Amino acid sequence: MIKALHICIVFFLLFPVKLLATDKPAYRLFNAKGKEVSYQKMIKQIQKQDVVLIGELHNNPISHWLELEIIQSCYLKRKLVLGAEMFEQDNQGALSTYLAGKISAKGLDSSARLWRNYKTDYAPLVNFAKENQVNFIATNVPRKYASLVSKGGFEALNQISAEEKSWMAPLPIAYDANLPGYQKMITMMAGHATPNMPKAQALKDATMAYFIMKNWDENKQFIHVNGSYHSENYEGISWYLKLAKPAIKIATIATVSQKEIKQLAQENRGIADYIICVEDDMTTTY
């Protein structure tokens, strides 16, 4: 009887340890050096910054969930302005009309070019802004102008109208072809890339940075959502922000996927101030 009781006690003492050993967190959060950090520690640090660039994987549900969580957490301490790559500047009128309650969600859908995963992944961010009277800025250049640059370089923009130019960063666009991110584009698309393809990416980066700066003031924090590749390694949007205002304080967050997330892979260290690490078999939103 005593022996059986002893076995039961040992089993129940070890049971929580077994549960812990088999735990599968949806994500882990690391700093730039690869040290695991808590969500609250990250929030405490990024709340002090002027601009937060949240780099997502577009079809990753953890990215989208954490974007809203981060926005809500920062809102408790700071006045915010929100913005996103997913909204093109010529759709700002429709977006602002929706935020003001003058059109319905259906009206926004019919008057703006929304991404196919808008309802599940970006509507929560827009609706948070609407409910809390927070400005939401369409920061991206309309896609057709990036396509023009991809085919004909920055020179292709010389012939567009003044109104069209108002939807992008002022011309001429500053451009450094030697930035590693733009060089990587050429390498990854070996045999298919042209020197103009990174210029199209630069037009997007420059335009997003321009509209962030245009709508940010020192009394508020601007939180921007974009694909991770637009802000990884402190390039892209971050590079253009620093070019416009060297003293601006920026926090960058990147999202990566790995087969194993207990440790941050070496190649993912240093790409941002904070790295959201998700298993590569995570369910996708599309």
Side-chain angles (χ1 to χ4, degrees), residues 12-280:
F12 284 111
L13 285 173
L14 291 178
F15 188 64
V17 177
K18 182 176 177 62
L19 279 180
L20 183 63
T22 58
D23 186 34
K24 285 184 68 66
Y27 76 98
R28 292 186 187 275
L29 186 62
F30 299 91
N31 65 17
K33 295 180 179 179
K35 180 181 178 180
E36 190 166 7
V37 295
S38 69
Y39 173 83
Q40 290 302 329
K41 183 174 182 179
M42 178 187 73
I43 292 298
K44 186 177 180 180
Q45 291 299 316
I46 68 174
Q47 282 175 337
K48 302 173 184 178
Q49 309 310 305
D50 300 319
V51 176
V52 180
L53 302 175
I54 305 178
E56 68 170 35
L57 300 179
H58 293 319
N59 63 355
N60 188 280
I62 300 301
S63 285
H64 299 303
W65 169 63
L66 280 174
E67 283 160 6
L68 183 57
E69 291 293 315
I70 291 168
I71 289 168
Q72 290 173 330
S73 295
C74 289
Y75 181 72
L76 296 176
K77 295 289 186 178
R78 299 290 303 273
K79 292 181 179 180
L80 301 181
V81 181
L82 305 180
E85 171 196 359
M86 299 79 202
F87 300 90
E88 297 171 9
Q89 182 44 219
D90 61 331
N91 286 161
Q92 182 68 64
L95 180 57
S96 296
T97 303
Y98 174 72
L99 292 171
K102 296 179 181 179
I103 59 173
S104 64
K106 186 176 181 179
L108 177 63
D109 186 40
S110 62
S111 56
R113 296 182 300 279
L114 302 178
W115 284 27
R116 60 177 174 171
N117 56 327
Y118 169 78
K119 289 183 179 180
T120 55
D121 299 340
Y122 305 114
L125 309 184
V126 173
N127 289 332
F128 174 87
K130 182 181 179 183
E131 291 162 9
N132 293 281
Q133 298 181 316
V134 172
N135 285 343
F136 199 112
I137 309 303
T139 59
N140 208 355
V141 65
R143 184 171 298 184
K144 66 179 180 179
Y145 303 111
S147 180
L148 281 178
V149 171
S150 183
K151 295 173 183 176
F154 293 124
E155 297 78 11
L157 300 175
N158 292 337
Q159 306 305 315
I160 65 176
S161 70
E163 182 185 25
E164 291 172 304
K165 289 176 182 177
S166 73
W167 300 327
M168 62 188 70
L171 303 178
I173 302 295
Y175 178 63
D176 184 351
N178 294 315
L179 286 175
Y182 298 147
Q183 288 286 314
K184 186 178 179 181
M185 283 189 69
I186 298 292
T187 302
M188 289 180 65
M189 301 180 67
H192 301 282
T194 70
N196 287 329
M197 286 185 177
K199 293 178 183 178
Q201 182 85 344
L203 176 63
K204 294 179 180 181
D205 294 336
T207 297
M208 287 187 271
Y210 174 72
F211 285 106
I212 289 172
M213 291 302 304
K214 187 175 181 179
N215 292 279
W216 168 77
D217 68 61
E218 295 183 359
N219 297 316
K220 295 183 179 181
Q221 181 178 59
F222 199 119
I223 300 182
H224 189 265
V225 173
N226 51 265
S228 269
Y229 45 85
H230 284 293
S231 53
E232 282 181 1
N233 298 305
Y234 308 97
E235 296 179 25
I237 301 169
S238 186
W239 188 85
Y240 283 101
L241 287 172
K242 288 289 187 179
L243 192 65
K245 189 176 178 64
I248 195 167
K249 296 183 293 183
I250 305 169
T252 60
I253 300 171
T255 307
V256 300
S257 63
Q258 296 181 181
K259 186 174 182 179
E260 174 55 63
I261 65 172
K262 288 182 180 179
Q263 293 184 333
L264 188 65
Q266 190 64 43
E267 64 266 25
N268 291 326
R269 297 183 184 185
I271 65 172
D273 296 316
Y274 296 96
I275 299 98
I276 301 164
C277 190
V278 184
E279 289 195 8
D280 58 13

